[in-house]
Amino acid sequence: MVQSSTTESSGTASGASAPGRAWLMLSLATVGFAVNFWAWALLSPLGPRFKDTLDLTSFQQSLLVAVPVVVGSLGRIPVGALTDRFGGRVMFPIVSAATTVPVLYLGLAGHSSLTALLAGGFFLGVGGTAFAVGVPFVSAWFPPERRGLAIGVFGMGMGGTAISALTTVKLVDAHGMANPFLITAGVLMAYAVVAALVLRDAPGRTVPTEPLGRRLSAALRLGITWQASALYAVAFGGYVAFSVYLPTYLKTGYGLAQADAANRMAGFVLLAVAMRPMGGWLSDRIGPVRVLAGTLGVVLAGALAQSFTPGLAPVGTIAFLAMAAALGAGSGAVFALVALLAPANKVGSVTGIVGAAGGLGGFVPPLLMGSLYGAYGSYAIGLVLLGVAAAAALTFTETGVRHALTRRASASPSH
C-alpha cells in the first residue's frame, strides 16, 4: 500500500502543478456524472403515469423504478475495475454513449408495455455506473490533501436526479412522452463527444496489469472496501431512501398535497447535494473520522426525534433538514476516507463496490417503511431502525475505522 501511495503522489504532483487543468477535469467529470444520473432517473417520475396507463400494480410500479437502481448499483463494481485499467478518458465517453441507447429506446418505442419498460430500464442502469468512473478519475488528478474536497464536488453530480424530478413530467405534459428522453439522449451524446475530445487522465496514473477478476478479488480483501461499504450504505443509502420515499411519507404521515410534498423532497435533495463537498472539505481539514462521527450523530438524533412524528413546523422540518445535511456531508466523508486508505491502482475497484453498497442501501428502506406502515399504521419503527443503523455506524467509525486510519498513519513514511 505504501508503494502505491508513493506512485500516486508522484502522479498527482504533476496535476498539482497545473491546478487549472485539474479543476477543468473535475468540472467535466461532475457534468458527466450529473448528465448520466439525469438519464438514470428518468423512469421514476413517470412511475405513477405508467401505473395508470398500463394498469400496473403497486409492486409492478416499484419494480419498474427499482430495476435501473439495482443494475446501476451492481454495475459500478465491474465499471470501477475497468476504470482502474482504462481510465476515465475512455470510460466516461463509453458509459455516456451506451446510456444513450436505452434512453432513445424508452422514448421512441419502449413505453408501451411493462416488459418493454423493464428491458429499457435494465440497460438504463448503465447510467448509474458513472459514479464509479469519476471517483478514481478525479482522485488521480488531486494531491491527497485536496482529494476530499475534489471528490465531494464531483459527488454533487448526484443532483442530476433532481433535474429529472423537476423536468420529466412537465416535458411529457407539454410535448409528449418522447420529449424528455430525446432531450436527455442529445445531451448525453454531446457530453460523450466532448469527453472523448477534452478529458485527459492524470499524468503518472497508476495502471494495474492484473485481470479484472483478480483485481476485484484483491479489492474485496481490503479492509477499507468493507469499512467504506458499511458506512456508505447508511450515509448515501439514507439519502437515496429519503429522496425516493419522502413524498409518500409526507403525504401519508402529514396529509400534505403531492406538489407540496415533492417540493419539500426537492429541498431535502438540494441541501444534501450542497453539503457533499462540505463533507469532503471538512475531511481534508479535520479528518474523515471526525466528520463521519459528527454526521452520524446528527442522523441518530434526527431519526429519533422524527420517530415521535412531531409537527412539521418547526421540529419536523428541522429534523429532516438536519438529516439531509448530515447524510450529504457523510457521503462526502466516506470517499475522502477511500482516497486516504485505498491503494492508488485499486481506487476504481473499491469505489465500484462501495458505490454498489450505497445504491443497494437506498433500495431496502423504502420497502421496509411501506411494509411497517402497512402493518402498524405508523412510521415510528422505521425511523427508530434508521437511528439504530446510524448508532451502529457511529460506533464502528469510532472503533474499527479510527484504528485503520491510525495504523495507516503509523505505517506511512510521510508521518
Side-chain angles (χ1 to χ4, degrees):
M1 182 181 293
V2 173
Q3 182 180 0
S4 297
S5 297
T6 305
T7 306
E8 185 183 25
S9 297
S10 64
T12 54
S14 301
S17 65
R21 194 174 191 202
W23 286 103
L24 173 62
M25 294 300 113
L26 171 59
S27 300
L28 286 170
T30 304
V31 170
F33 180 25
V35 168
N36 278 279
F37 257 41
W38 174 11
W40 190 40
L42 279 171
L43 288 181
S44 181
L46 296 172
R49 185 179 299 255
F50 289 131
K51 182 180 182 181
D52 293 338
T53 57
L54 300 177
D55 196 26
L56 305 181
T57 66
S58 294
F59 174 77
Q60 289 172 328
Q61 181 187 347
S62 299
L63 186 64
L64 175 62
V65 174
V67 165
V69 173
V70 174
V71 174
S73 299
L74 294 177
R76 292 173 189 178
I77 298 174
V79 168
L82 288 169
T83 302
D84 277 340
R85 178 68 180 85
F86 297 107
R89 181 186 183 186
V90 170
M91 293 301 296
F92 256 126
I94 287 177
V95 167
S96 302
T99 305
T100 305
V101 178
V103 171
L104 285 173
Y105 165 75
L106 286 165
L108 297 175
H111 54 263
S112 56
S113 71
L114 176 62
T115 302
L117 283 168
L118 290 175
F122 181 90
F123 291 101
L124 192 64
V126 173
T129 68
F131 178 75
V133 178
V135 170
F137 174 79
V138 169
S139 181
W141 267 107
F142 286 83
E145 64 273 13
R146 302 288 293 279
R147 253 177 229 147
L149 173 61
I151 295 173
V153 170
F154 169 74
M156 292 180 73
M158 67 187 188
T161 56
I163 300 175
S164 176
L166 294 170
T167 63
T168 303
V169 173
K170 293 176 183 176
L171 288 169
V172 169
D173 288 341
H175 305 290
M177 181 60 70
N179 188 258
F181 294 92
L182 294 176
I183 290 173
T184 308
V187 175
L188 275 168
M189 279 310 301
Y191 177 77
V193 171
V194 171
L197 294 174
V198 181
L199 281 185
R200 296 291 182 272
D201 289 310
R205 185 179 72 86
T206 308
V207 181
T209 55
E210 302 93 345
L212 185 146
R214 191 179 301 169
R215 282 186 282 123
L216 284 175
S217 176
L220 285 168
R221 290 195 296 271
L222 293 171
I224 178 59
T225 303
W226 297 101
Q227 292 160 358
S229 292
L231 295 172
Y232 204 56
V234 176
F236 186 70
Y239 159 79
V240 171
F242 275 124
S243 66
V244 169
Y245 200 72
L246 195 54
T248 300
Y249 174 89
L250 292 172
K251 186 178 179 183
T252 306
Y254 287 95
L256 296 188
Q258 192 69 51
D260 190 12
N263 288 337
R264 289 172 187 266
M265 182 273 283
F268 182 98
V269 167
L270 292 174
L271 179 56
V273 169
M275 286 300 294
R276 187 155 180 157
M278 181 61 70
W281 179 80
L282 284 171
S283 296
D284 289 339
R285 297 299 181 275
I286 64 174
V289 166
R290 289 180 182 173
V291 177
L292 282 164
T295 55
L296 289 167
V298 171
V299 174
L300 170 59
L304 293 181
Q306 192 57 36
S307 69
F308 293 99
T309 318
L312 272 182
V315 177
T317 299
I318 292 171
F320 275 117
L321 291 180
M323 285 192 287
L327 292 167
S331 297
V334 170
F335 278 96
L337 187 70
V338 170
L340 276 177
L341 294 182
N345 62 347
K346 293 185 175 68
V347 172
S349 300
V350 173
T351 295
I353 297 167
V354 175
L360 294 176
F363 176 67
V364 176
L367 300 177
L368 188 62
M369 291 285 277
S371 299
L372 288 170
Y373 187 83
Y376 300 104
S378 169
Y379 290 116
I381 297 175
L383 286 157
V384 168
L385 288 175
L386 172 61
V388 170
L394 173 57
T395 303
F396 179 57
T397 298
E398 289 289 9
T399 53
V401 177
R402 185 179 291 280
H403 179 62
L405 267 178
T406 303
R407 212 168 49 234
R408 182 256 188 193
S410 60
S412 174
S414 63
H415 291 75

